[in-house]
Amino acid sequence: VVIASDDLMLASDLAGLLSDDSFRVFTTKDVIGVEIGGAVKNVIALAAGMCEGLGLGTNAMSGLVTRGCGEMRRLGLTFGAKASTIAGLSGVGDTFGTCFGPLSRNRKFGYRLGKGETMDEIRESTTEVAEGVDTSIALVNLIKTECKGYRLDLKYPILFGVASILNGTQTPKQGLEGLMTMPFMMMENFDEKY
């Protein structure tokens, strides 16, 4: 677990109070990085669940989660997060737990969408809250208003794709097909030079 605060002494005091032999708490001053990681991982988990619900297998799910972490990094760096925070426990680490853990509410919600259930059917049959549902729409709105560039959907295809599925403009199967038929990019990351 990571405590983020501008006040590192306070964060260290809290970490000392909460840590024990079986629970370790780390600290960082990168509040933005922890916030971005915590938000984006829930949306990636929805996508991972859909991938699983569609029966696409572990390799497809792993690839999707890895690409989602790239989108998390890109968004985090855009807002001033440190790459090391995104690559650490509160970013990629938490994403793995949420995407592959059996108790993840977001992964379960995505799984049920992938199996063909509607949002209304899922919401009516559970008391659990999948935070990624509302977060997905909020992140896309944030990207559209705060990020500069043309075709932001190409820089954040998983985030935009999940929001499109949740808005009902495409199915999980169509969303995956959209990812697979995106314009071909020579480099894996948009920040690399040819």
Side-chain angles (χ1 to χ4, degrees):
V1 173
V2 179
I3 294 176
S5 175
D6 290 329
D7 185 342
L8 212 46
M9 287 182 62
L10 172 63
S12 294
D13 287 346
L14 291 171
L17 289 171
L18 297 171
S19 293
D20 65 23
D21 291 341
S22 62
F23 187 76
R24 184 78 171 171
V25 180
F26 296 90
T27 61
T28 182
K29 290 179 80 171
D30 186 8
V31 175
I32 292 171
V34 171
E35 289 174 338
I36 295 281
V40 174
K41 60 115 175 174
N42 289 322
V43 180
I44 297 170
L46 286 168
M50 288 183 229
C51 189
E52 184 180 3
L54 289 166
L56 300 176
T58 304
N59 285 339
M61 194 164 141
S62 296
L64 180 115
V65 170
T66 302
R67 297 298 299 169
C69 288
E71 291 183 30
M72 177 190 292
R73 177 181 171 275
R74 188 172 301 116
L75 187 63
L77 293 176
T78 298
F79 285 96
K82 294 180 181 176
S84 59
T85 303
I86 300 299
L89 289 174
S90 61
V92 172
D94 201 10
T95 300
F96 288 171
T98 305
C99 291
F100 300 111
L103 301 177
S104 167
R105 298 179 305 272
N106 291 289
R107 188 193 59 75
K108 286 191 278 189
F109 196 99
Y111 177 83
R112 292 177 69 181
L113 284 172
K115 284 292 191 186
E117 290 184 65
T118 66
M119 296 240 312
D120 289 338
E121 290 170 338
I122 298 168
R123 285 182 166 153
E124 289 171 7
S125 66
T126 186
T127 58
E128 295 182 333
V129 175
E131 304 95 324
V133 173
D134 291 333
T135 302
S136 174
I137 308 304
L139 281 171
V140 167
N141 287 336
L142 176 71
I143 291 166
K144 286 178 177 178
T145 58
E146 299 296 325
C147 296
K148 294 182 171 91
Y150 176 72
R151 294 292 313 262
L152 292 169
D153 59 317
L154 295 178
K155 289 187 177 182
Y156 304 99
I158 295 169
L159 297 180
F160 274 74
V162 170
S164 178
I165 291 164
L166 297 174
N167 283 329
T169 56
Q170 65 179 347
T171 67
K173 186 175 186 299
Q174 291 167 332
L176 176 73
E177 288 169 354
L179 281 175
M180 297 307 292
T181 58
M182 281 179 52
F184 180 68
M185 304 303 288
M186 294 299 293
M187 301 297 284
E188 181 179 18
N189 295 310
F190 283 91
D191 54 357
E192 293 179 5
K193 304 291 182 210
Y194 289 99

